[in-house]
């Protein structure tokens, strides 16, 4: 795109737990003429933000509505249980749902794991957010099961987490409206997929002008040195005289 058609920026939304800094850095290096604007949204808000044109693309949690959006799955997260540091679970590396049967396990309203009910005993009420549930875990009221990135996001010194081996997992994907696959979206797909600057997909990033190659100088032919005279042989000077 050139001239008046050039966009002012590329708008990228992302859900809690996703860290887009690596891709943002590559974008800024490759396309310095198009600023990248970041927008933090909840997992529930992401689809409406894309539909309403508030972002060109977004890092979202799977599943997505494939009738409206295109999506490229990127990775699947480990599921963990968040516990107080003095809880029995903290003494092991991983646990199963059966190990949590006697504990209260909170099920926040913004849960992203998609299960009907977590393992263990239900709380007296569902916390409004994951952050609220973390506060209850810190108060030693119960436990919380979340993707590992959310456990890291809400890290506290008095809490820790362990892998829950038989829980649902949450996948992260890059998504955008199917009818709005613009050049900039293709450019960002290239960044996420690790395409090089010289890739044929999307716009070409500015490149330094190629310098003409210098010709290698031809070698100068070496001069032949006269062969040294043999020892004992008289030096010949001029022509020999003919005897009469």
């Amino acid at each position: 795109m050139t001239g008046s058609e050039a966009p002012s920026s590329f708008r990228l939304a992302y859900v809690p737990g996703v860290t887009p800094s690596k891709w943002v850095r590559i974008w800024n290096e490759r396309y310095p003429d198009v600023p990248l604007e970041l927008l933090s949204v909840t997992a529930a808000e992401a689809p409406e933000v894309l539909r309403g044109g508030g972002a060109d693309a977004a890092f979202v949690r799977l599943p997505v509505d494939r009738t409206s959006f295109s999506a490229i799955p990127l990775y699947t997260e480990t599921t963990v249980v968040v516990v107080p540091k003095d809880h029995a679970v903290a003494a092991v590396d991983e646990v199963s749902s059966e190990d949590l049967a006697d504990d209260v396990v909170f099920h926040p309203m913004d849960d992203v794991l998609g299960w009907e009910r977590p393992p263990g005993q239900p709380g007296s009420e569902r916390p409004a957010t994951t952050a609220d549930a973390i506060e209850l875990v810190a108060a030693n009221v119960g436990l919380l099961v979340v993707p590992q990135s959310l456990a890291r996001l809400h890290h506290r010194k008095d809490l820790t987490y362990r892998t829950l081996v038989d829980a649902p997992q949450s996948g992260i994907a890059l998504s955008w409206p199917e009818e709005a696959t613009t050049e900039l979206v293709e450019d960002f797909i290239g960044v996420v997929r690790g395409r090089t600057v010289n890739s044929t997909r999307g716009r070409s990033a500015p490149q330094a002008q190629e310098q003409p190659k210098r010709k290698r100088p031809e070698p100068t032919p070496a001069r032949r040195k006269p062969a040294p005279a043999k020892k004992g042989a008289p030096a010949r000077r001029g022509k020999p005289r003919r005897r009469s």
Side-chain angles (χ1 to χ4, degrees):
M1 292 184 182
T2 57
S4 59
E5 295 182 0
S8 57
S9 65
F10 180 70
R11 298 160 300 170
L12 177 67
Y14 65 99
V15 298
V18 175
T19 305
S21 55
K22 176 183 72 173
W23 298 298
V24 172
R25 175 180 54 79
I26 296 172
W27 176 275
N28 290 337
E29 292 173 354
R30 191 170 296 182
Y31 304 108
D33 57 320
V34 184
L36 191 151
E37 296 180 9
L38 287 174
L39 176 64
S40 177
V41 298
T42 67
E45 292 171 342
E48 292 308 316
V49 168
L50 289 174
R51 284 194 185 96
D56 299 294
F59 289 114
V60 302
R61 291 193 178 273
L62 294 170
V64 300
D65 179 5
R66 291 289 186 151
T67 63
S68 302
F69 301 109
S70 295
I72 300 173
L74 300 176
Y75 57 90
T76 300
E77 290 197 67
T78 299
T79 301
V80 300
V81 55
V82 182
V83 302
K85 281 193 171 180
D86 58 357
H87 194 280
V89 166
V92 297
D93 293 330
E94 58 184 32
V95 293
S96 67
S97 297
E98 187 178 349
D99 297 322
L100 308 180
D102 297 331
D103 290 283
V104 171
V105 179
F106 297 113
H107 190 195
M109 300 298 291
D110 62 354
D111 170 68
V112 297
L113 293 174
W115 48 14
E116 292 184 8
R117 191 175 76 83
Q121 305 299 316
S124 57
E125 60 182 25
R126 293 184 66 180
T129 66
T130 297
D132 292 336
I134 289 288
E135 293 295 331
L136 293 173
V137 176
N140 217 6
V141 179
L143 312 180
L144 176 65
V145 178
V146 290
Q148 184 171 310
S149 67
L150 293 184
R152 289 174 175 170
L153 179 65
H154 297 286
H155 170 71
R156 290 176 53 123
K157 291 182 179 179
D158 53 347
L159 301 180
T160 188
Y161 58 84
R162 294 293 183 266
T163 300
L164 185 58
V165 295
D166 55 352
Q169 294 179 310
S170 177
I172 299 297
L174 176 67
S175 183
W176 65 95
E178 189 172 355
E179 297 180 355
T181 308
T182 64
E183 279 191 4
L184 289 183
V185 170
E186 286 285 4
D187 290 340
F188 194 74
I189 291 171
V191 168
V192 171
R193 283 186 160 169
R195 292 183 194 142
T196 64
V197 175
N198 297 324
S199 171
T200 56
R201 297 290 298 274
R203 293 185 308 136
S204 296
Q207 298 184 32
Q209 187 175 0
E210 187 177 355
Q211 297 296 325
K213 294 182 179 179
R214 293 183 178 180
K215 290 184 178 180
R216 183 178 295 178
E218 295 182 1
T220 305
R223 292 182 178 180
R224 280 190 174 184
K225 292 183 179 180
K230 294 182 180 179
K231 284 186 178 182
R236 300 179 62 184
R237 295 179 182 176
K239 294 181 179 179
R241 291 182 178 181
R242 180 181 287 180
R243 290 183 179 180
S244 55

